[in-house]
């Protein structure tokens, strides 16, 4: 009764507020803002109040100001745009430092960046890079000779942008003992020339032949790398990450995250996956459940099991219902029977499953496995996920809503760069390309779509992701009108996928995803109003403040552009 009276008073004041004793004034109020809340019950507001880790009131300026006590900090946001903290629903902690080869565009540029990066390393140590694309090489043929030219004696391995193939030089192949007589490993392919000699290209699991030789990071190096990543995360307005690494965290990574949490340096909600074990034992399932339940409410927490069903289109390892243009197809990493068995086992244990599936064949297998689990285990709020879900068959799009399956998409995958236009799209042909990365189709079909970046495969900047979802153009504004523009979505829809929907995808909608009284005070202040004006504004806007559970994790330097 008292609660209702207070809520009523709040409404009269123009604020939705949690009931609180009068002495318990907010620690901070943020006023004079343009707040986009992501909360359908109150989409826009001017001000909000924070007490402890949570929002306690959201409403108009006058109403929120009235809540201030003598010790309340009043922050005037000067009319700036505020949105909920971004939630990257598909992210990975980089396992090591590497030269960034993104958008190199040519062999010469790859060589230049590798040489420059190698200068920062101890002499003779491995040179590791990532981010190249087949289109960077003549005839789209990555070959070890381009690396041998600059590093004849030093081992080099560079992973492609999607992380599904690597190129090693001759020294690295020699250290790994890879010769013309080496058979392809299961789930992998060693690239070979006309004479059968290895070209240095190592697809899918074949890259382990070389990458297993890389010296592991020490615990201290892992911690330092984590702190660097966390500061980049906060500077981009991200307050929640969902680490979708299929092998789960390494011992070093888990220790680094736990240490950061204990030191008060974990500046993000960090939800980590556990591996989807083949034919899991009751003990394995029990451990996954205990890990989830034992970390609930912590910044570092668990709760989903990640598996891989196929590769990527660019490497022709995504499993398609029909072959690639020019022939060939990827092979699924599971039989349907094994997948059904494993998914049903996790489902029965009450765990959420996330399956990497890019090709329409793999996506269908994932949906079939989820449908099978529901049929066998009965109704439940399961929220299983398909990760990437790049080229779904049109007939399968409505199944996401029907089965309650989350489409975990990456807006930035729709960047129409040279790789997309010259390799990706031709490989699947115009009919399938016309509904690749179908953000609007998923929205229209009523699916819950959670946005992520797949960092470090792609940049994690959510504003860049939103720009891509809204324009389907490169940063340079090409192609005119956008790549298959029918699948563009609005800024508001893209923001929703990066906030409210991503929180739903991790069962966190009671605590996160909108600026609503009672939820964690996770929010971002932007330099520009991204909800009005041309899309270019998304590229120009900067994050000014990031706040996690009421605590500032990032503040732009004064006078920064
Ligand atoms: Zn990923």
């Amino acid at each position: 009764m008292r609660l209702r009276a207070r809520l009523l008073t709040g409404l009269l004041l123009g604020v939705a507020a949690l009931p609180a004793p009068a002495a318990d004034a907010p620690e901070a109020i943020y006023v004079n803002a343009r707040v986009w809340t992501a909360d359908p019950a109150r989409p826009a507001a001017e001000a909000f109040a924070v007490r402890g880790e949570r929002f306690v009131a959201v409403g108009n300026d006058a109403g929120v100001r009235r809540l201030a006590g003598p010790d309340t900090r009043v922050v005037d946001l000067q009319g700036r745009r505020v949105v909920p903290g971004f939630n990257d629903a598909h992210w990975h902690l980089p396992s090591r430092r590497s030269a960034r080869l993104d958008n190199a565009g040519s062999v010469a540029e790859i060589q230049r960046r590798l040489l420059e990066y190698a200068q920062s390393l101890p002499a003779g140590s491995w040179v590791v890079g990532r981010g190249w694309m087949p289109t960077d090489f003549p005839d789209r043929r990555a070959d070890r000779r381009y690396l041998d030219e600059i590093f004849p004696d030093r081992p080099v391995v560079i992973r492609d942008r999607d992380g599904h193939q690597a190129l090693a030089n001759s020294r690295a192949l020699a250290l790994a003992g890879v010769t013309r007589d080496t058979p392809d490993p299961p789930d992998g392919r060693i690239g070979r020339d006309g004479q059968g000699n290895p070209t240095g290209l190592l697809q899918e699991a074949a890259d382990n032949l070389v990458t297993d030789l890389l010296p592991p990071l020490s615990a201290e190096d892992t911690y330092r790398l984590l702190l660097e990543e966390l500061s980049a995360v906060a500077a981009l307005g991200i307050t929640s990450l969902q680490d979708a690494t299929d092998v789960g965290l390494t011992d070093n990574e888990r220790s680094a995250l736990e240490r950061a949490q204990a030191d008060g340096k974990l500046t993000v909600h960090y939800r980590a996956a556990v591996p989807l074990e083949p034919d899991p034992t009751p003990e394995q399932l029990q451990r996954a459940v205990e890990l989830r339940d034992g970390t609930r409410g912590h910044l570092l927490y668990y709760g989903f099991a990640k598996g891989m069903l196929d590769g990527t289109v660019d490497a022709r390892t995504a499993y398609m219902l029909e072959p690639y243009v020019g022939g060939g197809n990827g092979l699924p990493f599971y039989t349907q029977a094994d997948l059904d068995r494993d998914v049903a086992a996790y489902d029965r244990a009450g765990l959420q499953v996330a399956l990497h599936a890019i090709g329409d064949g793999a996506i269908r297998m994932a949906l079939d496995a989820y449908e099978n689990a529901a049929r066998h285990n009965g109704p439940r709020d399961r929220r299983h996920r398909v990760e990437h879900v790049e080229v779904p068959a049109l007939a399968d799009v409505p199944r996401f809503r029907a089965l309650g399956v989350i489409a975990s998409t990456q807006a930035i995958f729709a960047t129409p760069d040279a790789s997309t236009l010259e390799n990706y799209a031709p490989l699947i042909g115009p009919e399938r390309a016309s509904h690749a990365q179908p953000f609007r189709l998923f929205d229209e079909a009523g699916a819950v779509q959670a946005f992520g970046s797949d960092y470090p495969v792609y940049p994690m900047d959510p504003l860049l992701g939103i720009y891509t979802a809204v324009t389907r153009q490169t940063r340079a504004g090409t192609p005119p009108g956008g790549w298959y523009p029918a699948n563009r979505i609005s800024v508001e829809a893209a923001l929703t996928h990066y906030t409210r929907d991503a929180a739903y995808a991790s069962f966190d909608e009671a605590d996160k995803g909108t600026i609503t009284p009672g939820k964690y005070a996770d929010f971002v202040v932007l330099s520009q109003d991204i909800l009005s004006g041309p899309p270019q504004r998304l590229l120009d806007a900067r994050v000014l403040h990031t706040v996690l559970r009421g605590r500032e994790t990032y503040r732009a330097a004064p006078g920064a552009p």
Side-chain angles (χ1 to χ4, degrees):
M1 224 30 211
R2 259 210 334 259
L3 177 101
R4 178 169 300 169
R6 279 192 177 276
L7 281 176
L8 202 62
T9 317
L11 287 174
L12 291 174
L13 292 173
V15 291
L18 287 188
D24 222 354
E27 279 144 32
I29 59 170
Y30 295 81
V31 298
N32 189 19
R34 259 182 285 185
V35 186
W36 181 84
T37 66
D39 183 349
R42 178 191 282 272
E46 298 168 350
F48 51 90
V50 174
R51 189 172 57 239
E53 297 188 321
R54 297 182 185 258
F55 296 115
V56 290
V58 178
N60 66 26
D61 235 65
V64 170
R65 279 180 192 275
R66 242 170 264 146
L67 303 172
D71 299 325
T72 299
R73 196 159 50 89
V74 180
V75 183
D76 183 339
L77 291 175
Q78 302 174 324
R80 303 270 194 215
R81 175 57 74 186
V82 176
V83 299
F86 297 120
N87 185 331
D88 189 326
H90 189 118
W91 191 90
H92 304 278
L93 185 60
S95 54
R96 58 185 65 254
R97 283 194 183 76
S98 50
R100 298 300 316 220
L101 305 175
D102 311 69
N103 302 310
S106 68
V107 167
E109 178 62 15
I110 287 176
Q111 291 176 331
R112 192 192 67 74
R113 291 193 202 174
L114 287 173
L115 283 168
E116 185 183 298
Y117 172 72
Q119 284 172 1
S120 70
L121 305 173
S125 63
W126 281 80
V127 179
V128 179
R130 77 170 303 147
W132 61 269
M133 299 187 275
T135 46
D136 294 336
F137 293 89
D139 299 327
R140 287 178 214 153
R141 269 182 209 180
D143 192 286
R144 64 190 152 98
R145 72 190 139 101
Y146 302 117
L147 302 177
D148 294 345
E149 282 170 13
I150 49 168
F151 296 110
D153 315 311
R154 193 171 177 178
V156 183
V157 61
I158 58 174
R159 225 180 256 272
D160 78 335
R161 188 188 61 188
D162 298 339
H164 287 262
Q165 50 189 351
L167 180 67
N169 72 345
S170 296
R171 179 75 185 132
L173 291 179
L175 287 173
V178 174
T179 67
R180 55 180 297 133
D181 301 322
T182 310
D184 286 351
D187 294 334
R189 195 145 57 186
I190 298 171
R192 299 171 202 271
D193 64 16
Q195 283 77 53
N197 294 311
T199 60
L201 191 65
L202 303 165
Q203 294 188 304
E204 300 299 340
D207 70 354
N208 296 333
L209 294 168
V210 165
T211 55
D212 282 353
L213 303 178
L214 293 172
L217 288 187
S218 68
E220 193 59 34
D221 286 342
T222 304
Y223 186 61
R224 271 202 297 270
L225 182 60
L226 172 66
L227 294 186
E228 283 172 25
E229 295 296 333
L230 289 175
S231 69
V233 162
L236 293 169
I238 297 169
T239 54
S240 293
L241 294 175
Q242 301 182 47
D243 183 335
T245 305
D246 58 301
V247 292
L249 297 171
T250 65
D251 290 344
N252 269 352
E253 288 166 352
R254 181 176 300 110
S255 304
L257 281 158
E258 285 171 356
R259 181 176 161 194
Q261 181 166 250
D263 292 352
K265 290 182 174 167
L266 187 56
T267 49
V268 72
H269 290 108
Y270 196 108
R271 184 181 195 236
V274 297
L276 187 82
E277 305 285 358
D279 204 2
T281 63
E283 292 73 29
Q284 284 173 321
L285 295 168
Q286 187 55 31
R287 265 202 304 279
V289 169
E290 283 167 6
L291 200 53
R292 179 193 65 191
D293 295 348
T295 56
R296 193 167 276 145
H298 299 208
L299 283 173
L300 172 62
Y301 66 119
Y302 299 82
F304 67 130
K306 166 80 186 298
M308 302 277 294
L309 273 191
D310 68 347
T312 68
V313 168
D314 280 308
R316 302 186 197 213
T317 49
Y319 169 52
M320 309 297 300
L321 294 170
E322 301 291 333
Y324 289 98
V325 174
N329 200 349
L331 280 178
F333 302 160
Y334 282 81
T335 63
Q336 187 71 53
D338 285 355
L339 185 66
D340 286 353
R341 176 199 63 202
D342 294 354
V343 167
Y346 278 83
D347 183 86
R348 203 174 306 118
L351 288 156
Q352 185 187 30
V353 176
L355 292 170
H356 165 124
I358 285 179
D360 47 16
I363 294 165
R364 182 164 295 172
M365 286 180 72
L367 292 169
D368 286 352
Y370 293 151
E371 190 171 336
N372 172 72
R375 199 163 46 235
H376 280 85
N377 298 335
R380 179 170 74 78
D381 184 4
R382 358 177 91 79
R383 305 191 201 178
H384 296 315
R385 310 167 31 147
V386 182
E387 305 301 307
H388 312 309
V389 58
E390 289 184 33
V391 198
L394 289 174
D396 285 332
V397 171
R399 299 177 69 196
F400 282 80
R401 172 157 188 208
L403 296 169
V405 171
I406 286 150
S408 172
T409 52
Q410 290 72 40
I412 198 163
F413 282 16
T415 303
D417 55 18
S419 173
T420 300
L421 300 181
E422 294 167 27
N423 195 60
Y424 186 102
L427 278 172
I428 54 177
E431 198 282 317
R432 288 180 290 193
S434 71
H435 56 86
Q437 328 291 0
F439 310 131
R440 180 174 287 273
L441 281 184
F442 279 128
D443 283 356
E444 286 176 351
V448 174
Q449 192 170 186
F451 270 177
S453 66
D454 207 17
Y455 178 82
V457 177
Y458 276 82
M460 61 173 135
D461 182 355
L463 293 174
L464 180 59
I466 294 168
Y467 169 84
T468 310
V470 167
T471 64
R472 295 178 74 100
Q473 291 177 323
T474 64
R475 269 178 266 210
T478 61
W483 183 64
Y484 296 111
N487 269 307
R488 291 177 304 180
I489 56 174
S490 68
V491 174
E492 201 155 19
L495 269 173
T496 305
H497 301 329
Y498 257 124
T499 56
R500 191 173 81 216
D501 293 346
Y504 180 87
S506 61
F507 291 90
D508 285 319
E509 71 275 14
D511 280 320
K512 298 195 297 190
T514 67
I515 296 178
T516 304
K519 294 198 188 184
Y520 286 129
D522 297 349
F523 63 93
V524 187
V525 182
L526 299 169
S527 66
Q528 302 210 25
D529 186 6
I530 59 170
L531 280 151
S532 64
Q536 178 64 30
R537 197 167 274 187
L538 290 156
L539 299 179
D540 297 340
R542 292 289 167 267
V543 169
L544 298 178
H545 305 167
T546 308
V547 174
L548 170 80
R549 295 193 180 187
R551 187 165 69 99
E552 188 168 276
T553 57
Y554 173 76
R555 173 182 290 264

